[in-house]
Amino acid sequence: MCNIAGYAGTQPAAPILLKMMLAEEGFGGGYYTGIATVHEGRIYYAKLTGDTKRLIDNTDAASLPGTVGIIHSRSKSGGGDEWAHPFVGTKNGETQIAYVANGVVGHFAPQRPEQMKIADALLAAGYDMQSRVVLDSKMYNKLSDGTTAHMSDVMCQLILSEMDRGLAPADAMAAAFCGMPSEIVGLLLSLANPDAVTFSRINYPMSVGFADHGAYLATTAIAFPEDAGEPMLLPACSSGCVYRDHMEIIPFKDPPAKVAPITARVRAEAYDAILARLEEGPQMMGALCKAAALCFDEADLRQDAPLAYDILHALHKADKVRFEQLRVPGAFEHLDAPKIRISLV
C-alpha cells in the first residue's frame, strides 16, 4: 500500500505536504516519493527513488511554489525514478495534470487484458507515458511494443484523454476509474481547476479535514496537523473536488463494483479484532488491515484499510498506541526506507 496526501488552501503547500508525508509514509510507503504543486498556470513536480527525507535533500521539493498540491510515497514494487509518482499528462509540451494514486488491481485482475488494450490505444493516440521502460518481470503486463508502463501512468493519460473530450477534471476521473477500475484512490492537480485537489475513490483510504486556512487530504488522518478538525472518510465510488473551504462530491453513476459499507457493527468488531492483534505484540499496518477485513460482510470490495486507519487514528488520539519508526532495506541496495511498527501503550 502507498500513502498519499493533498492540500488546498492559502499557505504554501509543499512544506505542509512534506510534513504530512513524513508522518504517514512508514505505514506503507517510503520507497519512491514525489510531490506536485500548481501555481500561476503551471504544474511543478519532483520525484525520485527513496523516502521523503531523500526527496527533500536531493530535489527542490520543499520550495515548489503554490498553495495547492499533492504528494505520494510508494511501496516497494519495482521500477526506478520514472516509476515514482506523480505521473503527468502533457499537451503541446505543457503539463496539464499531475496524478498520484494508492491501490492495486485486486478484484479487477481479470479485466487487465482489456485495460492493456486501453493503454495501447492511448499510446497510439499520442498520450506519452513517461514511465515506459523495458522490464523483464512477470508482475507487470507489457504494451504491444514490448515496453511496460506503470498503470497509474496509464490512468493519468486516460484521465487526460477524458478531459480532452470536454469533461471537467472530476468527471474525467470518474469516467477513467469506471472505465479502467482497480481497488484504488487517486488525487489530481489540473490547470483546468487549479484551486482544487480533485479526487476519485473506489475503496482505498482517503480522509479529508478542514482548517481555517485550507483543506487537508491524506491516506490516514494521523498525518493531519492539529488544526485539521474532525476528519471524514471520502465516500466510496465517488469523485469530487476539495477546495480551501468546501468540497464537492459526485457519486459514480455506474459503480464498477459493490463496496461493503463500514457499518457500526463492522467498526465495533474491527476495533476489537485490531486490539486483539495488538495485544499479541507489535504489528505492522498490513496485519491490522487483515484483521479488519475479516469483519466485513460479503461484498465485491472491502474497506479494510480505511477502517483500520480510522481505528488506529482513534487509538492514537486516545494515547493507546505508540509508533516506532524502523529503517528497512529500500528499493535499491544503497537505500533504506521507513517502516512504522505499532504497539499498545
Side-chain angles (χ1 to χ4, degrees):
M1 181 184 295
C2 305
N3 293 87
I4 57 181
Y7 174 77
T10 60
Q11 297 186 1
I16 292 172
L17 293 167
L18 291 164
K19 186 175 181 180
M20 283 199 289
M21 189 50 65
L22 286 168
E24 71 173 355
E25 67 179 344
F27 290 113
Y31 295 89
Y32 304 78
T33 310
I35 184 173
T37 62
V38 58
H39 179 64
E40 295 183 349
R42 181 179 171 189
I43 289 175
Y44 298 80
Y45 69 97
K47 63 180 184 176
L48 49 61
T49 306
D51 63 1
T52 303
K53 183 179 183 304
R54 189 165 190 269
L55 182 73
I56 294 169
D57 291 344
N58 291 275
T59 74
D60 60 352
S63 60
L64 293 185
T67 61
V68 180
I70 54 179
I71 193 168
H72 182 280
S73 194
R74 206 183 111 210
S75 58
K76 188 178 182 180
S77 50
D81 290 355
E82 67 277 356
W83 275 37
H85 299 224
F87 297 104
V88 300
T90 63
K91 188 173 183 180
N92 299 324
E94 182 178 2
T95 300
Q96 301 293 315
I97 61 173
Y99 172 74
V100 299
N102 172 23
V104 296
V105 64
H107 169 82
F108 301 98
Q111 299 183 26
R112 185 46 58 89
E114 292 301 315
Q115 294 179 357
M116 296 311 297
K117 292 180 181 178
I118 294 174
D120 278 327
L122 289 166
L123 192 61
Y127 290 94
D128 182 27
M129 298 168 199
Q130 297 178 15
S131 68
R132 279 197 306 143
V133 293
V134 177
L135 189 66
D136 185 17
S137 173
K138 295 181 180 179
M139 288 179 59
Y140 303 105
N141 297 85
K142 288 182 171 59
L143 295 160
S144 58
D145 66 356
T147 62
T148 300
H150 195 295
M151 288 307 292
S152 290
D153 193 359
V154 177
M155 180 64 79
C156 180
Q157 308 314 317
L158 182 57
I159 293 167
L160 182 59
S161 74
E162 296 290 354
M163 291 176 62
D164 286 344
R165 292 198 307 113
L167 294 182
D171 294 324
M173 286 193 81
F177 270 47
C178 292
M180 196 176 73
S182 295
E183 298 194 39
I184 193 173
V185 62
L187 299 179
L188 185 82
L189 295 185
S190 71
L191 296 186
N193 192 4
D195 296 328
V197 174
T198 304
F199 75 88
S200 199
R201 176 175 183 258
I202 292 185
N203 68 320
Y204 260 49
M206 182 55 57
S207 292
V208 61
F210 287 90
D212 290 342
H213 56 82
Y216 304 108
L217 299 104
T219 299
T220 169
I222 293 169
F224 287 166
E226 292 183 359
D227 63 357
E230 190 64 26
M232 184 188 94
L233 178 67
L234 291 174
C237 291
S238 69
S239 286
C241 298
V242 178
Y243 296 89
R244 179 184 67 79
D245 56 359
H246 71 285
M247 60 182 175
E248 300 168 353
I249 296 173
I250 308 167
F252 290 169
K253 294 179 180 178
D254 187 16
K258 177 183 177 183
V259 177
I262 299 175
T263 64
R265 178 195 62 78
V266 169
R267 186 183 299 275
E269 291 183 5
Y271 186 92
D272 291 342
I274 286 173
L275 275 182
R277 185 64 63 91
L278 288 169
E279 286 169 355
E280 296 173 3
Q283 303 289 332
M284 300 302 187
M285 192 65 206
L288 304 188
C289 292
K290 290 179 181 178
L294 298 175
C295 302
F296 281 93
D297 295 325
E298 288 297 320
D300 289 340
L301 303 178
R302 295 179 174 87
Q303 298 192 75
D304 49 284
L307 178 54
Y309 271 124
D310 183 62
I311 291 169
L312 190 61
H313 177 244
L315 292 171
H316 179 60
K317 285 182 63 178
D319 293 323
K320 292 184 178 181
V321 292
R322 61 174 174 265
F323 303 138
E324 177 187 6
Q325 187 170 104
L326 313 175
R327 301 300 298 189
V328 300
F332 299 112
E333 288 185 4
H334 65 288
L335 300 174
D336 60 8
K339 186 68 67 175
I340 291 176
R341 185 163 60 187
I342 306 153
S343 305
L344 288 176
V345 173

mmCIF file of all heavy atoms in Angstrom, residues 111-138:
data_model
loop_
_atom_site.group_PDB
_atom_site.id
_atom_site.type_symbol
_atom_site.label_atom_id
_atom_site.label_comp_id
_atom_site.label_asym_id
_atom_site.label_seq_id
_atom_site.Cartn_x
_atom_site.Cartn_y
_atom_site.Cartn_z
ATOM 1 N N GLN A 111 -9.837 -8.158 -15.602
ATOM 2 C CA GLN A 111 -10.021 -7.132 -16.627
ATOM 3 C C GLN A 111 -8.704 -6.572 -17.163
ATOM 4 O O GLN A 111 -8.711 -5.743 -18.071
ATOM 5 C CB GLN A 111 -10.864 -5.982 -16.074
ATOM 6 C CG GLN A 111 -12.258 -6.380 -15.641
ATOM 7 C CD GLN A 111 -13.082 -5.197 -15.174
ATOM 8 O OE1 GLN A 111 -12.854 -4.061 -15.582
ATOM 9 N NE2 GLN A 111 -14.049 -5.448 -14.301
ATOM 10 N N ARG A 112 -7.559 -7.027 -16.627
ATOM 11 C CA ARG A 112 -6.290 -6.443 -17.022
ATOM 12 C C ARG A 112 -5.999 -6.544 -18.528
ATOM 13 O O ARG A 112 -5.493 -5.580 -19.120
ATOM 14 C CB ARG A 112 -5.155 -7.044 -16.199
ATOM 15 C CG ARG A 112 -3.767 -6.449 -16.406
ATOM 16 C CD ARG A 112 -3.714 -4.930 -16.405
ATOM 17 N NE ARG A 112 -4.189 -4.234 -15.256
ATOM 18 C CZ ARG A 112 -3.454 -3.912 -14.200
ATOM 19 N NH1 ARG A 112 -2.199 -4.277 -14.126
ATOM 20 N NH2 ARG A 112 -3.977 -3.227 -13.214
ATOM 21 N N PRO A 113 -6.305 -7.677 -19.214
ATOM 22 C CA PRO A 113 -6.071 -7.690 -20.669
ATOM 23 C C PRO A 113 -6.810 -6.578 -21.408
ATOM 24 O O PRO A 113 -6.250 -5.949 -22.325
ATOM 25 C CB PRO A 113 -6.566 -9.079 -21.091
ATOM 26 C CG PRO A 113 -6.380 -9.921 -19.878
ATOM 27 C CD PRO A 113 -6.716 -9.016 -18.728
ATOM 28 N N GLU A 114 -8.057 -6.308 -21.022
ATOM 29 C CA GLU A 114 -8.806 -5.220 -21.644
ATOM 30 C C GLU A 114 -8.188 -3.866 -21.291
ATOM 31 O O GLU A 114 -8.185 -2.940 -22.108
ATOM 32 C CB GLU A 114 -10.271 -5.268 -21.210
ATOM 33 C CG GLU A 114 -11.031 -6.461 -21.748
ATOM 34 C CD GLU A 114 -11.025 -6.500 -23.273
ATOM 35 O OE1 GLU A 114 -11.249 -5.432 -23.894
ATOM 36 O OE2 GLU A 114 -10.774 -7.578 -23.831
ATOM 37 N N GLN A 115 -7.681 -3.745 -20.071
ATOM 38 C CA GLN A 115 -7.057 -2.495 -19.661
ATOM 39 C C GLN A 115 -5.778 -2.232 -20.449
ATOM 40 O O GLN A 115 -5.453 -1.084 -20.760
ATOM 41 C CB GLN A 115 -6.785 -2.523 -18.156
ATOM 42 C CG GLN A 115 -8.053 -2.555 -17.322
ATOM 43 C CD GLN A 115 -7.782 -2.603 -15.826
ATOM 44 O OE1 GLN A 115 -6.636 -2.667 -15.383
ATOM 45 N NE2 GLN A 115 -8.843 -2.578 -15.028
ATOM 46 N N MET A 116 -5.052 -3.304 -20.794
ATOM 47 C CA MET A 116 -3.849 -3.119 -21.606
ATOM 48 C C MET A 116 -4.200 -2.657 -23.012
ATOM 49 O O MET A 116 -3.432 -1.928 -23.652
ATOM 50 C CB MET A 116 -3.028 -4.402 -21.633
ATOM 51 C CG MET A 116 -2.475 -4.831 -20.276
ATOM 52 S SD MET A 116 -1.644 -3.490 -19.374
ATOM 53 C CE MET A 116 -0.274 -3.120 -20.486
ATOM 54 N N LYS A 117 -5.372 -3.052 -23.506
ATOM 55 C CA LYS A 117 -5.828 -2.541 -24.800
ATOM 56 C C LYS A 117 -6.088 -1.044 -24.721
ATOM 57 O O LYS A 117 -5.803 -0.295 -25.672
ATOM 58 C CB LYS A 117 -7.084 -3.289 -25.251
ATOM 59 C CG LYS A 117 -6.855 -4.756 -25.600
ATOM 60 C CD LYS A 117 -8.148 -5.417 -26.030
ATOM 61 C CE LYS A 117 -7.939 -6.892 -26.348
ATOM 62 N NZ LYS A 117 -9.212 -7.569 -26.728
ATOM 63 N N ILE A 118 -6.628 -0.592 -23.591
ATOM 64 C CA ILE A 118 -6.832 0.840 -23.380
ATOM 65 C C ILE A 118 -5.493 1.552 -23.387
ATOM 66 O O ILE A 118 -5.323 2.617 -24.002
ATOM 67 C CB ILE A 118 -7.579 1.089 -22.056
ATOM 68 C CG1 ILE A 118 -9.003 0.528 -22.121
ATOM 69 C CG2 ILE A 118 -7.597 2.586 -21.715
ATOM 70 C CD1 ILE A 118 -9.757 0.593 -20.802
ATOM 71 N N ALA A 119 -4.496 0.959 -22.726
ATOM 72 C CA ALA A 119 -3.162 1.553 -22.676
ATOM 73 C C ALA A 119 -2.557 1.668 -24.073
ATOM 74 O O ALA A 119 -1.985 2.706 -24.437
ATOM 75 C CB ALA A 119 -2.256 0.726 -21.763
ATOM 76 N N ASP A 120 -2.689 0.617 -24.866
ATOM 77 C CA ASP A 120 -2.164 0.654 -26.236
ATOM 78 C C ASP A 120 -2.866 1.723 -27.072
ATOM 79 O O ASP A 120 -2.226 2.417 -27.874
ATOM 80 C CB ASP A 120 -2.333 -0.723 -26.896
ATOM 81 C CG ASP A 120 -1.235 -1.703 -26.509
ATOM 82 O OD1 ASP A 120 -0.087 -1.256 -26.300
ATOM 83 O OD2 ASP A 120 -1.520 -2.906 -26.420
ATOM 84 N N ALA A 121 -4.180 1.847 -26.893
ATOM 85 C CA ALA A 121 -4.926 2.849 -27.649
ATOM 86 C C ALA A 121 -4.491 4.263 -27.271
ATOM 87 O O ALA A 121 -4.377 5.142 -28.138
ATOM 88 C CB ALA A 121 -6.426 2.666 -27.411
ATOM 89 N N LEU A 122 -4.244 4.497 -25.985
ATOM 90 C CA LEU A 122 -3.762 5.808 -25.545
ATOM 91 C C LEU A 122 -2.395 6.111 -26.147
ATOM 92 O O LEU A 122 -2.139 7.225 -26.616
ATOM 93 C CB LEU A 122 -3.685 5.849 -24.017
ATOM 94 C CG LEU A 122 -5.025 5.879 -23.277
ATOM 95 C CD1 LEU A 122 -4.816 5.579 -21.804
ATOM 96 C CD2 LEU A 122 -5.708 7.238 -23.455
ATOM 97 N N LEU A 123 -1.523 5.119 -26.134
ATOM 98 C CA LEU A 123 -0.188 5.302 -26.696
ATOM 99 C C LEU A 123 -0.275 5.610 -28.191
ATOM 100 O O LEU A 123 0.407 6.522 -28.696
ATOM 101 C CB LEU A 123 0.647 4.051 -26.456
ATOM 102 C CG LEU A 123 2.143 4.155 -26.728
ATOM 103 C CD1 LEU A 123 2.782 5.199 -25.829
ATOM 104 C CD2 LEU A 123 2.802 2.802 -26.519
ATOM 105 N N ALA A 124 -1.140 4.885 -28.892
ATOM 106 C CA ALA A 124 -1.306 5.109 -30.332
ATOM 107 C C ALA A 124 -1.880 6.494 -30.623
ATOM 108 O O ALA A 124 -1.605 7.078 -31.674
ATOM 109 C CB ALA A 124 -2.210 4.027 -30.922
ATOM 110 N N ALA A 125 -2.672 7.012 -29.685
ATOM 111 C CA ALA A 125 -3.283 8.331 -29.870
ATOM 112 C C ALA A 125 -2.344 9.474 -29.495
ATOM 113 O O ALA A 125 -2.726 10.644 -29.596
ATOM 114 C CB ALA A 125 -4.571 8.423 -29.047
ATOM 115 N N GLY A 126 -1.132 9.138 -29.052
ATOM 116 C CA GLY A 126 -0.149 10.169 -28.771
ATOM 117 C C GLY A 126 -0.027 10.585 -27.322
ATOM 118 O O GLY A 126 0.670 11.570 -27.019
ATOM 119 N N TYR A 127 -0.674 9.858 -26.410
ATOM 120 C CA TYR A 127 -0.558 10.183 -24.988
ATOM 121 C C TYR A 127 0.736 9.558 -24.453
ATOM 122 O O TYR A 127 0.891 8.340 -24.433
ATOM 123 C CB TYR A 127 -1.783 9.695 -24.217
ATOM 124 C CG TYR A 127 -3.014 10.504 -24.549
ATOM 125 C CD1 TYR A 127 -3.904 10.082 -25.543
ATOM 126 C CD2 TYR A 127 -3.266 11.705 -23.905
ATOM 127 C CE1 TYR A 127 -5.024 10.841 -25.869
ATOM 128 C CE2 TYR A 127 -4.382 12.474 -24.224
ATOM 129 C CZ TYR A 127 -5.260 12.030 -25.207
ATOM 130 O OH TYR A 127 -6.353 12.792 -25.531
ATOM 131 N N ASP A 128 1.647 10.411 -24.035
ATOM 132 C CA ASP A 128 3.001 9.988 -23.668
ATOM 133 C C ASP A 128 3.034 9.422 -22.261
ATOM 134 O O ASP A 128 2.628 10.087 -21.307
ATOM 135 C CB ASP A 128 3.954 11.178 -23.773
ATOM 136 C CG ASP A 128 5.390 10.797 -23.460
ATOM 137 O OD1 ASP A 128 5.745 9.629 -23.659
ATOM 138 O OD2 ASP A 128 6.142 11.674 -23.010
ATOM 139 N N MET A 129 3.516 8.200 -22.131
ATOM 140 C CA MET A 129 3.698 7.558 -20.829
ATOM 141 C C MET A 129 5.183 7.576 -20.501
ATOM 142 O O MET A 129 5.957 6.758 -20.987
ATOM 143 C CB MET A 129 3.143 6.134 -20.859
ATOM 144 C CG MET A 129 1.655 6.078 -21.148
ATOM 145 S SD MET A 129 1.079 4.418 -21.521
ATOM 146 C CE MET A 129 -0.481 4.802 -22.354
ATOM 147 N N GLN A 130 5.578 8.511 -19.663
ATOM 148 C CA GLN A 130 6.994 8.702 -19.367
ATOM 149 C C GLN A 130 7.577 7.579 -18.526
ATOM 150 O O GLN A 130 8.798 7.481 -18.384
ATOM 151 C CB GLN A 130 7.201 10.056 -18.686
ATOM 152 C CG GLN A 130 6.827 11.238 -19.557
ATOM 153 C CD GLN A 130 6.999 12.569 -18.858
ATOM 154 O OE1 GLN A 130 7.639 12.670 -17.816
ATOM 155 N NE2 GLN A 130 6.414 13.614 -19.434
ATOM 156 N N SER A 131 6.723 6.729 -17.960
ATOM 157 C CA SER A 131 7.208 5.609 -17.156
ATOM 158 C C SER A 131 7.576 4.396 -17.997
ATOM 159 O O SER A 131 8.067 3.394 -17.464
ATOM 160 C CB SER A 131 6.137 5.195 -16.135
ATOM 161 O OG SER A 131 5.009 4.635 -16.789
ATOM 162 N N ARG A 132 7.358 4.448 -19.298
ATOM 163 C CA ARG A 132 7.597 3.264 -20.138
ATOM 164 C C ARG A 132 9.061 2.846 -20.101
ATOM 165 O O ARG A 132 9.955 3.644 -20.369
ATOM 166 C CB ARG A 132 7.184 3.537 -21.586
ATOM 167 C CG ARG A 132 5.703 3.394 -21.830
ATOM 168 C CD ARG A 132 5.398 3.262 -23.305
ATOM 169 N NE ARG A 132 5.972 4.364 -24.061
ATOM 170 C CZ ARG A 132 6.498 4.249 -25.275
ATOM 171 N NH1 ARG A 132 6.541 3.082 -25.876
ATOM 172 N NH2 ARG A 132 6.970 5.301 -25.892
ATOM 173 N N VAL A 133 9.287 1.574 -19.764
ATOM 174 C CA VAL A 133 10.627 1.002 -19.722
ATOM 175 C C VAL A 133 10.561 -0.421 -20.261
ATOM 176 O O VAL A 133 9.488 -1.029 -20.336
ATOM 177 C CB VAL A 133 11.205 0.973 -18.288
ATOM 178 C CG1 VAL A 133 11.461 2.382 -17.779
ATOM 179 C CG2 VAL A 133 10.271 0.228 -17.334
ATOM 180 N N VAL A 134 11.719 -0.948 -20.630
ATOM 181 C CA VAL A 134 11.820 -2.374 -20.956
ATOM 182 C C VAL A 134 12.063 -3.095 -19.640
ATOM 183 O O VAL A 134 13.088 -2.892 -18.989
ATOM 184 C CB VAL A 134 12.957 -2.636 -21.957
ATOM 185 C CG1 VAL A 134 13.091 -4.129 -22.211
ATOM 186 C CG2 VAL A 134 12.698 -1.895 -23.259
ATOM 187 N N LEU A 135 11.108 -3.897 -19.226
ATOM 188 C CA LEU A 135 11.155 -4.513 -17.907
ATOM 189 C C LEU A 135 10.851 -5.996 -18.034
ATOM 190 O O LEU A 135 9.792 -6.385 -18.535
ATOM 191 C CB LEU A 135 10.122 -3.845 -16.987
ATOM 192 C CG LEU A 135 10.143 -4.203 -15.506
ATOM 193 C CD1 LEU A 135 11.427 -3.722 -14.860
ATOM 194 C CD2 LEU A 135 8.939 -3.565 -14.792
ATOM 195 N N ASP A 136 11.777 -6.825 -17.604
ATOM 196 C CA ASP A 136 11.591 -8.272 -17.647
ATOM 197 C C ASP A 136 10.996 -8.727 -16.318
ATOM 198 O O ASP A 136 11.713 -9.071 -15.380
ATOM 199 C CB ASP A 136 12.926 -8.971 -17.912
ATOM 200 C CG ASP A 136 12.757 -10.480 -18.079
ATOM 201 O OD1 ASP A 136 11.605 -10.919 -18.311
ATOM 202 O OD2 ASP A 136 13.762 -11.216 -17.974
ATOM 203 N N SER A 137 9.689 -8.698 -16.224
ATOM 204 C CA SER A 137 9.014 -9.037 -14.976
ATOM 205 C C SER A 137 7.656 -9.647 -15.267
ATOM 206 O O SER A 137 6.930 -9.181 -16.151
ATOM 207 C CB SER A 137 8.829 -7.783 -14.109
ATOM 208 O OG SER A 137 8.041 -8.060 -12.972
ATOM 209 N N LYS A 138 7.320 -10.681 -14.532
ATOM 210 C CA LYS A 138 6.008 -11.309 -14.662
ATOM 211 C C LYS A 138 4.942 -10.565 -13.862
ATOM 212 O O LYS A 138 3.756 -10.863 -13.978
ATOM 213 C CB LYS A 138 6.085 -12.773 -14.223
ATOM 214 C CG LYS A 138 6.978 -13.640 -15.104
ATOM 215 C CD LYS A 138 6.993 -15.088 -14.627
ATOM 216 C CE LYS A 138 7.885 -15.942 -15.517
ATOM 217 N NZ LYS A 138 7.935 -17.372 -15.055
#
